[in-house]
Amino acid sequence: MLTLLDQLDKGTLWRSPGGIHPPEVKFLSNATPIGQLPLASTYLVPVPQVGENCTLAVKVGDSVLKGTPLTQGTSIWHLPVHAPTSGTIVAIEPRASNHASALPVNTCVIAADGKDTWCELVQNQLDDLSHQQIVDKVRSAGIAGMGGAAFPTHIKLNPVSEIDLVIINGVECEPYISADDRLMREYSQDILAGIGIIHRLLTPKRIVIAIEDNKPEAAKAMQAAVSQCGLPAGSIRVTVIPTKYPSGGEKQLIQIITGREVPSGAIPAKLGIVVHNVGTAYAIHQAVTQGKPLVERVVTVTGRNVGKPGNYWLPIGTPVDHVLTATEFTPEPDQKVIIGGPMMGHALANIQVPILKGTNCILVPSSQEIGSTPEEKACIRCGECATACPALLLPQQLFWHAKAEEYDKAASYNLKDCIECGCCSYVCPSDIPLVEYYRIAKSALKQAADEKQQAERAKQRFDARLARLEEEKLAREAKAKEASERRQASMTGTDKNAVAEAMARIAAKKAAAQAVTGESITEESSVTTTDTTEVPKGKAAVAAAIARAKAKKAAQANADGTDTNGAETDNAVTMDANDSISATDTIAQEAPLSQKDKVAAAIARAKAKKAAQQTDTAPLESTETADNTPALSTDDDKKAKVAAAVARAKAKKAAQQAETAASDIEVSNTEISVSDVNDAEAIKKAKVAAAVARAKAKKAAQQAETNAENGLNQTTTPAVDSAANVHADVNADAETAVNAAATDIEVSNADVSVNDAEAIKKAKVAAAVARAKAKKIAAASAESKTDAEIESVDEIQTEANVASPSIAATLDTATTEAEAVLPSVGSTAEPIETAPLSSDELKKARIAATIAKAKAKKAALAQEANASSDSSVD
């Protein structure tokens, strides 16, 4: 069985699928040698042309020579662009591209100086260069595939796999184009020199130069050059293949020469095959041996409307309109200018575009040659397109999905394998421009792939940023930890103790807050005077203290109703008040309250005081009713005793309430949080609030005295009734004053808190002063009473005699007036003593007596002052 190499040596060929035979029309341009055109005044060099990731090496105003690199880059896909002639960079700006869309691309505009001076060229002997040096020179020369694909040549010259076969493509199958034909005829030796460089780099087993049978002159020239080259005999041969379009396609040519089919999505190098164009081989020779970069190429200018059709050496960047003008172009109405051949080329929307490295033809056909574009009709599903497709695709399916913009489905039918040869469009009886649909679909897929790649790159950058930030955070934390360790190592014992104490205080505050939150409020009704349980916290502590005070007061009120020992009652009241104050102080010291708890405690105290006031009013009303009843008693002395006892009891009660208010004030001051206020302004507010409270208390006391005086002046009222009225006024005024003072201080405590020991000390002093004043008032009210039972109103007279005769006289007058208005009772009435008096009635009597005594003293002092004034006047 013959091997592939044996078959190649025998010239065996295989048939390729599909294909068509359009008119060639190569005679218009292949009859004349390759010519030169005059230099243009301006050259347009797009950057980049092939590849990506390039940067400009020049700027506006720079002078350049022919062959000067305009770009530079490090990517393997980057190919440098060189100046096509000498001149000056006059602009770097977007200009229309050599594409059917005419989208603008960045372009270097060079104003030619007309000298066409080359830059310094470095010529080398091939034997003096290494493999890598040759590849580098090819790359630095910017050589790309000259057959139209413009693939970077240096990548093909450095494959990763072993190459067995190199095919030099001289087929040039598309109609009208004859650039490769003329190049092989005129520069066959240079092409063979380039093939020799390729052979050195790839060391293939065979090299085949493929030429269509419609180019006999080119085949003869290349055969002659092969016989004269220095390559090993039998390693290179010229193979003539049948003319058929598109036999010049890379995959189609491989199938014709070897019978192998390149898999979908694969490259020929995987089969051990590499394909190069004859123009590329010529450019390789120019770059490696003479040091010339790719700055010009052979371009076919043809068509019926060109006066001088032919092939010309055109510098890269030459404007198309300059070429047409130089070749005597005569346009027609609706004239088309096509870049490339009639099958795979594209019409230009603007002729102010440059020649590129992949431009091999400028076609300007007449209307008789190409005709008008026919109207697209509906597909009749004839299947001719599938028969003509050289890639064995399904053009019908591709068309339907592309037209419906279902690009993913079109890709599933191997759209990327379409070589856009145009065979399907050529044979379509419905005149459907199938290739145009395929190009649009490919562009959409490419754009989607680019966007996905950009998104992936953005995600990678974002992930890298997050990783960097995390590393920086860890580094900062490590640095802070090291600094903390250094500080701790350098701390003295005192500093460590201070830190430990601060941490302990924080932990204690946190534990106290948790304890207050977790405990429930104790019911007031469950608290008794014998409660010995642990002191509650927060709201429960306040409620428990109030409940105990109320319970003690109720027990004291019911313990003794005979008033046989007034001192016991007074002592009990005083003791209970002190116990309540002591309990409240203990709660304030052991259970610091929050702001909310303080407000709740103040409200609870106010409610308790109001309830106590209402409770005290009930027995007072009953006493007043009893005193106003004419049948109560006929003994005026007994009624006076009753009134005096009631007055003393009420005085005791007022003293107790004053002391309780002072105790509440002290508790509130103790409950002040040390952590709320941190400046002297808050301390000042606390002082002002205390002063306001004291002023209100004084004003209330004065009002109470005035009310008492008004009560005594009502001589038409019985004595007992007057005492009761005076008691009610004094009791209400005293309680009002106490409540006002307590409320003011509580509001001040709720609003203001002190942050230093000095402010706390001042607040405590203010509370102590208020408490002392309250005690002083209580002592003054109880000054005239005795520990034994009050026998008669005469005792008041006796106590008044000690002070002053004038006071005694006034008191006698007041007593006589009181007795004069007492109602008389019959001798058969039972004595008043037979009806025991309650403690509340005794308190009312005491208060009335005390007030009467005080008013008498005040009146006597006023009389003495008037007498002294009169004597001084005399």
Side-chain angles (χ1 to χ4, degrees):
M1 182 177 180
L2 296 177
T3 63
L4 175 62
L5 296 179
D6 295 336
Q7 292 176 338
L8 291 175
D9 293 339
K10 289 182 62 176
T12 304
L13 298 176
W14 284 261
R15 291 178 59 88
S16 64
I20 57 175
H21 295 82
E24 298 176 2
V25 199
K26 294 181 181 289
F27 61 89
L28 291 176
S29 58
N30 66 357
T32 58
I34 301 173
Q36 292 277 355
L37 293 179
L39 292 175
S41 59
T42 303
Y43 287 82
L44 308 175
V45 184
V47 288
Q49 289 187 30
V50 179
E52 56 184 12
N53 299 329
C54 73
T55 57
L56 283 169
V58 295
K59 61 182 182 297
V60 176
D62 288 354
S63 297
V64 294
L65 298 176
K66 187 177 183 178
T68 302
L70 302 180
T71 63
Q72 58 187 6
T74 59
S75 172
I76 190 174
W77 294 99
H78 168 69
L79 284 180
V81 180
H82 301 79
T85 187
S86 58
T88 304
I89 305 293
V90 296
I92 301 176
E93 60 188 12
R95 293 290 184 94
S97 63
N98 186 344
H99 190 265
S101 64
L103 292 174
V105 294
N106 204 29
T107 304
C108 285
V109 181
I110 302 175
D113 58 9
K115 298 178 182 180
D116 201 32
T117 305
W118 274 96
C119 63
E120 183 179 357
L121 301 178
V122 179
Q123 298 182 359
N124 298 282
Q125 294 295 325
L126 185 60
D127 296 337
D128 298 336
L129 299 175
S130 65
H131 177 95
Q132 188 59 44
Q133 288 176 332
I134 294 174
V135 174
D136 291 342
K137 289 181 74 66
V138 171
R139 178 185 177 185
S140 62
I143 300 175
M146 307 293 284
F151 189 84
T153 301
H154 67 277
I155 295 177
K156 282 187 174 183
L157 293 178
N158 192 22
V160 296
S161 57
E162 184 178 355
I163 301 302
D164 297 328
L165 176 65
V166 173
I167 299 176
I168 305 300
N169 188 352
V171 175
E172 198 173 39
C173 59
E174 188 159 2
Y176 284 92
I177 304 177
S178 60
D180 291 344
D181 182 12
R182 293 305 309 183
L183 188 65
M184 287 186 289
R185 293 186 194 183
E186 301 178 27
Y187 297 94
S188 58
Q189 295 295 333
D190 294 330
I191 293 173
L192 259 297
I195 293 173
I197 296 172
I198 295 171
H199 182 273
R200 177 179 174 179
L201 293 175
L202 301 178
T203 62
K205 296 178 180 179
R206 293 289 187 276
I207 296 178
V208 176
I209 303 174
I211 304 174
E212 275 189 322
D213 56 8
N214 61 354
K215 304 176 183 62
E217 294 84 356
K220 290 180 181 179
M222 293 301 297
Q223 187 64 50
V226 166
S227 60
Q228 298 177 3
C229 71
L231 295 176
S235 62
I236 183 172
R237 65 187 306 273
V238 176
T239 300
V240 178
I241 64 174
T243 300
K244 186 175 70 169
Y245 179 83
S247 58
E250 184 178 60
K251 293 182 178 181
Q252 287 69 35
L253 184 59
I254 290 172
Q255 193 168 7
I256 292 171
I257 298 296
T258 65
R260 296 181 179 180
E261 182 178 354
V262 179
S264 175
I267 60 176
K270 289 188 176 181
L271 298 179
I273 302 172
V274 169
V275 180
H276 285 287
N277 185 266
V278 291
T280 304
Y282 175 82
I284 291 172
H285 165 67
Q286 294 287 311
V288 174
T289 60
Q290 299 183 22
K292 290 182 178 181
L294 181 59
V295 295
E296 59 182 1
R297 66 157 298 146
V298 178
V299 178
T300 301
V301 181
T302 184
R304 297 289 185 182
N305 290 339
V306 175
K308 296 180 178 179
N311 293 279
Y312 300 93
W313 285 106
L314 297 181
I316 306 297
T318 303
V320 173
D321 63 336
H322 170 75
V323 176
L324 295 179
T325 300
T327 56
E328 300 179 359
F329 168 56
T330 56
E332 295 179 354
D334 299 328
Q335 176 68 60
K336 286 186 177 180
V337 177
I338 300 173
I339 295 296
M343 301 299 296
M344 300 183 68
H346 59 270
L348 293 177
N350 185 357
I351 62 174
Q352 297 290 335
V353 296
I355 299 296
L356 303 179
K357 295 180 179 181
T359 303
N360 57 3
C361 179
I362 300 176
L363 175 61
V364 282
S366 64
S367 58
Q368 289 80 15
E369 289 179 280
I370 194 171
S372 60
T373 303
E375 181 182 358
E376 179 182 342
K377 296 177 284 292
C379 175
I380 61 174
R381 302 186 181 184
C382 61
E384 292 293 330
C385 55
T387 303
C389 180
L392 298 177
L393 300 178
L394 297 175
Q396 248 183 47
Q397 298 290 339
L398 296 175
F399 162 66
W400 289 334
H401 293 309
K403 188 173 183 179
E405 298 183 359
E406 297 172 347
Y407 302 128
D408 293 339
K409 293 183 179 180
S412 66
Y413 283 90
N414 299 322
L415 176 64
K416 62 180 178 298
D417 289 336
C418 174
I419 62 175
E420 301 178 17
C421 62
C423 292
C424 54
S425 299
Y426 184 82
V427 300
C428 180
S430 298
D431 297 322
I432 301 174
L434 298 172
V435 176
E436 300 302 324
Y437 283 105
Y438 305 156
R439 286 174 177 172
I440 292 173
K442 284 185 176 181
S443 298
L445 291 172
K446 184 177 183 300
Q447 182 178 0
D450 292 342
E451 291 176 354
K452 183 178 180 181
Q453 187 177 13
Q454 291 176 3
E456 183 64 26
R457 291 177 180 175
K459 182 178 182 300
Q460 292 176 359
R461 291 195 301 270
F462 181 74
D463 293 340
R465 178 179 177 273
L466 292 180
R468 185 182 70 254
L469 293 177
E470 184 65 21
E471 292 177 358
E472 293 176 356
K473 179 182 177 182
L474 295 176
R476 287 195 302 270
E477 291 177 352
K479 186 177 179 180
K481 185 177 180 181
E482 293 176 359
S484 177
E485 292 175 353
R486 288 196 300 268
R487 286 195 301 271
Q488 291 180 0
S490 62
M491 287 175 62
T492 62
T494 304
D495 296 337
K496 292 181 179 179
N497 292 336
V499 173
E501 291 174 358
M503 296 298 292
R505 286 196 298 272
I506 294 173
K509 290 182 179 180
K510 185 176 181 180
Q514 292 176 352
V516 170
T517 304
E519 293 183 1
S520 61
I521 300 175
T522 306
E523 296 293 337
E524 292 184 2
S525 60
S526 64
V527 181
T528 63
T529 56
T530 59
D531 188 5
T532 58
T533 58
E534 183 181 357
V535 179
K537 307 294 183 181
K539 297 180 180 179
V542 176
I546 295 172
R548 284 198 299 273
K550 292 175 66 177
K552 288 180 180 180
K553 186 164 63 174
Q556 175 267 331
N558 297 325
D560 188 6
T562 62
D563 193 34
T564 57
N565 189 356
E568 293 180 1
T569 303
D570 297 340
N571 292 335
V573 173
T574 305
M575 179 182 66
D576 291 341
N578 292 334
D579 292 342
S580 177
I581 293 170
S582 177
T584 309
D585 291 339
T586 303
I587 294 170
Q589 293 175 1
E590 296 183 4
L593 301 180
S594 65
Q595 192 74 8
K596 185 176 180 180
D597 294 337
K598 293 174 186 177
V599 175
I603 295 172
R605 284 196 295 273
K607 290 182 177 180
K609 290 176 182 178
K610 184 176 180 181
Q613 180 180 358
Q614 294 174 353
T615 304
D616 293 338
T617 304
L620 176 61
E621 292 174 356
S622 64
T623 303
E624 291 174 352
T625 304
D627 291 341
N628 292 332
T629 304
L632 183 62
S633 176
T634 60
D635 193 342
D636 296 339
D637 294 338
K638 296 300 182 178
K639 290 181 179 182
K641 290 179 182 180
V642 172
V646 171
R648 279 201 304 275
K650 290 303 178 181
K652 282 289 185 180
K653 183 176 181 181
Q656 178 187 356
Q657 290 176 347
E659 290 181 355
T660 304
S663 175
D664 292 340
I665 292 168
E666 183 177 2
V667 172
S668 299
N669 289 330
T670 306
E671 291 171 353
I672 293 175
S673 176
V674 186
S675 60
D676 293 338
V677 179
N678 197 23
D679 51 55
E681 185 67 20
I683 300 172
K684 182 178 179 181
K685 291 180 180 179
K687 293 178 180 179
V688 172
V692 171
R694 288 195 295 273
K696 288 184 177 181
K698 290 180 179 180
K699 184 177 180 181
Q702 293 176 359
Q703 184 66 31
E705 291 179 357
T706 303
N707 294 337
E709 183 177 359
N710 294 335
L712 288 177
N713 291 335
Q714 295 175 359
T715 57
T716 58
T717 307
V720 177
D721 186 52
S722 300
N725 292 335
V726 172
H727 154 69
D729 294 337
V730 172
N731 187 41
D733 293 339
E735 290 189 0
T736 302
V738 171
N739 291 336
T743 304
D744 290 338
I745 296 302
E746 286 166 1
V747 171
S748 300
N749 291 336
D751 294 339
V752 183
S753 57
V754 187
N755 197 29
D756 51 42
E758 185 65 25
I760 297 172
K761 183 177 179 182
K762 291 180 179 180
K764 290 181 178 180
V765 169
V769 171
R771 191 167 57 254
K773 287 183 179 182
K775 289 181 179 179
K776 186 176 180 181
I777 294 171
S781 65
E783 180 179 1
S784 61
K785 63 185 175 61
T786 62
D787 295 334
E789 181 181 359
I790 300 175
E791 297 294 336
S792 65
V793 183
D794 295 336
E795 295 179 4
I796 300 175
Q797 179 68 35
T798 303
E799 293 175 0
N801 291 333
V802 179
S804 172
S806 61
I807 296 175
T810 305
L811 186 58
D812 289 337
T813 303
T815 305
T816 302
E817 292 175 354
E819 291 176 352
V821 297
L822 287 174
S824 61
V825 296
S827 59
T828 60
E830 299 202 357
I832 196 69
E833 295 176 347
T834 60
L837 297 177
S838 65
S839 60
D840 290 338
E841 292 172 344
L842 294 175
K843 290 179 182 178
K844 292 178 182 179
R846 287 171 187 156
I847 291 173
T850 303
I851 292 173
K853 181 184 66 176
K855 293 303 178 180
K857 289 181 179 180
K858 183 176 180 181
L861 291 174
Q863 290 176 1
E864 288 179 357
N866 293 333
S868 175
S869 175
D870 294 339
S871 63
S872 63
V873 171
D874 294 339

